[in-house]
Amino acid sequence: MTDSGMPTARLGTDGPEVGAQGLGCMGMSFGYGPSDAEASRATLERALELGVTLYDTADAYGAGENERFLAPFFKAHREEVVVATKFALSIPPDDPTRRIVRNDAPYIREAVEASLRRLDLDVIDLYYMHRRDVNVPIEETVGVMADLVREGKVKHLGLSEVTGEELRAARTVHPIAAVQSEWSLFSRDIEAGVVPAARELGVALVPYSPLGRGFLTGSFANAEQDLADGDFRRQQPRFTGDNAAANAALLAPVRSVAEAHGASLGQIALAWVHQRAQVHGLPVIPIPGTRKPTRVAENTAATRIVLTDDELSSLEPIAEKVAGDRYADMTFTSAGRE
């Protein structure tokens, strides 16, 4: 049973209507250090109660372990949830720490079958190309993905970290329901090309890391001191050394707005992302990740916060002052190819 108080938005012109905030599930089994499976399962159930219906995973998260972990929840609530997963980050068997981007037809077909098995599903609701291999024409990749739709293995198509022009080229082959990219008070590069193209083509934006991978919650300031050894953020430019200290200082206006609303910093950061829908005139469905039921309740409450024009103005300068790129290697992001 979901909470009808959650606003909804549509994935593309012909895609499903989903809760206006989704749930990023990667951290439940990958990327952010040790996790508690029982707490993660409780988080999934609580999210559904609160009106969250879009659940996001990928085959590369824990080499398929994240998909396997989520499968029982999806099976129990199949008619209530929209399942999104991704392909493209191939993991070499001899080096599980590496990722090789592949967009070729044989790999896509192998990947979709593997995801269907791990998820224990007959069809994937939203299937993303996780990253772009520039050596394969995007029209060719989307052509293979379109075949999966015709074969009944996938319902809707998505792309992640593509440029505006790549999105336009993809759309000539098949409708695209959603584009996923990082978008937050700390990361706004997609507003130059990707967002206008998505608006023009009727494509929804699904921002990942809308909380700046947790930095915008104000819960830590130095990755090397505050994060577990297995947490991949310890290697990210924005979380280390002088960059971390400089970025922590940027939270002052977020803190002021949060105090005015009696809200947390994270709620203000999420409210800002949600209001991008009105600012840019397209569906925006952020997918903050969490492993705690209390945190998912906090996050979804942000859909009810409306920031004033003055508050939005106070937050506007933050992104241009952020120290460090969002990845150590920006090659495979849309910003790295714009």
Side-chain angles (χ1 to χ4, degrees):
M1 181 76 64
T2 61
D3 178 1
S4 60
M6 166 79 77
T8 61
R10 189 169 297 281
L11 291 166
T13 55
D14 300 316
E17 193 169 353
V18 296
Q21 188 176 118
L23 182 64
C25 300
M26 180 184 79
M28 293 180 177
S29 55
F30 174 75
Y32 291 105
S35 61
D36 182 325
E38 184 176 349
S40 292
R41 283 190 286 269
T43 300
L44 293 167
E45 297 288 350
R46 184 65 177 133
L48 188 60
E49 291 172 354
L50 292 165
V52 174
T53 54
L54 176 64
Y55 293 80
D56 185 89
T57 182
D59 60 0
Y61 299 162
E65 284 305 311
N66 198 241
E67 290 179 324
R68 292 188 187 95
F69 174 78
L70 295 167
F73 171 75
F74 293 154
K75 191 176 187 68
H77 301 285
R78 190 64 190 100
E79 299 306 313
E80 301 168 87
V81 301
V82 172
V83 177
T85 192
K86 315 177 193 73
F87 72 88
L89 299 180
S90 174
I91 302 173
D94 59 340
D95 187 356
T97 64
R98 290 182 62 211
R99 299 290 185 272
I100 299 172
V101 178
R102 290 186 60 181
N103 292 172
D104 56 283
Y107 178 75
I108 296 170
R109 290 195 164 278
E110 175 185 324
V112 72
E113 296 295 346
S115 283
L116 285 166
R117 285 194 301 273
R118 287 188 294 262
L119 292 165
D120 194 19
L121 297 177
D122 296 323
V123 60
I124 294 165
D125 299 316
L126 177 60
Y127 200 43
Y128 285 102
M129 180 190 76
H130 204 161
R131 289 293 184 271
R132 168 99 164 91
D133 178 358
V134 295
N135 297 309
V136 180
I138 197 164
E139 296 90 342
E140 184 177 312
T141 299
V142 175
V144 178
M145 296 170 72
D147 288 340
L148 301 180
V149 175
R150 286 186 283 271
E151 294 163 13
K153 296 174 181 177
V154 170
K155 290 183 180 178
H156 304 282
L157 303 185
L159 303 171
S160 180
E161 289 290 358
V162 293
T163 67
E165 289 309 306
E166 288 166 349
L167 175 57
R168 290 188 177 93
R171 181 61 182 81
T172 64
V173 179
H174 191 275
I176 303 298
V179 166
Q180 189 174 123
S181 192
E182 190 165 350
W183 200 6
S184 73
L185 281 168
F186 270 15
S187 300
R188 298 181 58 179
D189 50 79
I190 67 168
E191 293 174 19
V194 182
V195 171
R199 181 179 62 241
E200 168 195 326
L201 299 171
V203 177
L205 248 295
V206 178
Y208 70 82
S209 299
L211 293 170
R213 303 191 188 279
F215 209 118
L216 286 162
T217 67
S219 58
F220 57 84
N222 188 313
E224 294 167 343
Q225 295 177 8
D226 302 334
L227 299 177
D229 288 345
D231 195 311
F232 82 108
R233 291 172 293 183
R234 289 169 63 94
Q235 282 75 50
Q236 289 199 306
R238 292 179 177 177
F239 288 78
T240 55
D242 293 341
N243 286 352
N247 292 334
L250 298 177
L251 299 181
V254 186
R255 192 168 283 108
S256 296
V257 175
E259 290 172 358
H261 283 266
S264 69
L265 275 70
Q267 286 175 320
I268 298 306
L270 284 171
W272 182 90
V273 174
H274 280 291
Q275 283 184 240
R276 298 304 91 192
Q278 287 73 48
V279 171
H280 293 281
L282 79 169
V284 177
I285 307 156
I287 50 168
T290 184
R291 302 178 289 194
K292 298 178 180 179
T294 54
R295 191 70 73 188
V296 80
E298 176 185 324
N299 290 346
T300 55
T303 63
R304 299 188 289 274
I305 297 174
V306 178
L307 304 178
T308 67
D309 289 344
D310 286 346
E311 288 168 342
L312 292 171
S313 294
S314 73
L315 302 174
E316 185 67 22
I318 292 175
E320 64 184 21
K321 298 177 182 178
V322 172
D325 285 330
R326 49 193 178 97
Y327 288 100
D329 179 2
M330 292 287 285
T331 305
F332 296 106
T333 68
S334 58
R337 298 192 303 280
E338 287 280 14

